[in-house]
Amino acid sequence: QKALDGWLSILKRRPRDEGARRAAAGVMIDLKQWGDAAKLLDELAASSGNSLELAALRARWAADQGDVNTARLVLADHIASLPRAS
């Protein structure tokens, strides 16, 4: 909980800090704060798009709740969204 409090404190000072937002979401997942983590992940998606880091967090969020299939789909969707090399 101390780690989350630290990240939330940073976010109060720098609310657009994407790294701090990802770190806070990761700690929320660790603490099984599923709803708060999901909200933060949705905010990250809206503000920064679909990055590999975000896809990994979303997959971990699902897998840690026992939904490995959704985790797999999240990663597969991210890979499918990448531009094809020519």
Side-chain angles (χ1 to χ4, degrees), residues 14-30:
R14 299 187 318 235
R16 295 178 189 214
D17 185 325
E18 297 293 318
R21 292 167 68 158
R22 285 191 304 270
V27 174
M28 288 174 181
I29 292 168
D30 291 340

Side-chain angles (χ1 to χ4, degrees), residues 41-62:
L41 293 171
D42 289 344
E43 290 171 6
L44 279 163
S47 67
S48 63
N50 188 27
S51 67
L52 175 58
E53 294 87 356
L54 179 58
L57 282 168
R58 285 188 179 280
R60 196 174 126 221
W61 179 88

